[in-house]
Amino acid sequence: MITTIIFDLGNVLIDWNPYLLYRKLFDHDEDIKTFLDAICTMHWNEEQDAGRSIKDGTDLLVQQFPEHEANIRAYYERWEEMLGGAIPGTVELFKQLKDSGKYKLYALTNWSTETFPIALKHYDFLSWFDGIVVSGAEGMRKPVPEFYQLLLDRYDVKAGECLFIDDNYRNIIAAREMGIESIHFVSADELKKAFEDLNIQIQ
């Protein structure tokens, strides 16, 4: 029986996309892709999510790619411009879950502790959670099992009673290996159908 639902935040409840910023700095999407694939990579970003300071992460890349310094620094100096807003359909499902009062609701997010306050400022619905575990504050991130276990231990919930939702399939696999029922998020409509299939009561 599922008693606890754990949400990822980025690209499940909150639209986050570096292209929203870099389309203001580059003329073509293929140039943005080249920059993000080779310089400000997702692996580099995830090191900040895991606790490395923004200053240290930025300085590292500037030393390696001094010719791209302005665009590297823009990543965090203008990070807020990567936020595309709430994902309405998912937020509505989240509200229905909250209003039902039937489930404990938590967030497990890979997010820099330095930028997370910006999200808290923008999105009131983050206050609906019974708890949020932020990777940057904990010094670890998905998909390491210890990060999931930290949430389970902190809030005294059992893996077999949880449902986890994430847009990154890598993180879904890790959760399933821990015995956590998981949904790979693609869209709000598909999430609603998955809830119905699992008898999650949202009314």
Side-chain angles (χ1 to χ4, degrees), residues 145-161:
E146 293 82 2
F147 190 46
Y148 299 80
Q149 192 63 49
L150 187 151
L151 184 148
L152 299 178
D153 293 344
R154 180 171 295 171
Y155 298 110
D156 193 26
V157 294
K158 297 179 176 63
E161 296 179 358

Side-chain angles (χ1 to χ4, degrees), residues 3-56:
T3 63
T4 302
I5 300 177
I6 305 167
F7 281 86
D8 174 39
L9 296 179
N11 296 324
V12 174
L13 286 162
I14 297 168
D15 180 19
W16 176 79
N17 186 349
Y19 278 69
L20 297 175
L21 165 63
Y22 283 105
R23 280 180 179 139
K24 302 172 185 177
L25 303 177
F26 290 88
D27 292 330
H28 305 289
D29 277 9
E30 53 265 35
D31 295 330
I32 301 173
K33 184 177 187 304
T34 298
F35 176 76
L36 295 176
D37 285 350
I39 301 172
C40 287
T41 66
M42 285 306 299
H43 175 75
W44 170 80
N45 174 78
E46 285 189 329
E47 291 301 304
Q48 283 71 257
D49 287 351
R52 181 170 64 187
S53 73
I54 287 173
K55 181 182 186 307
D56 286 350

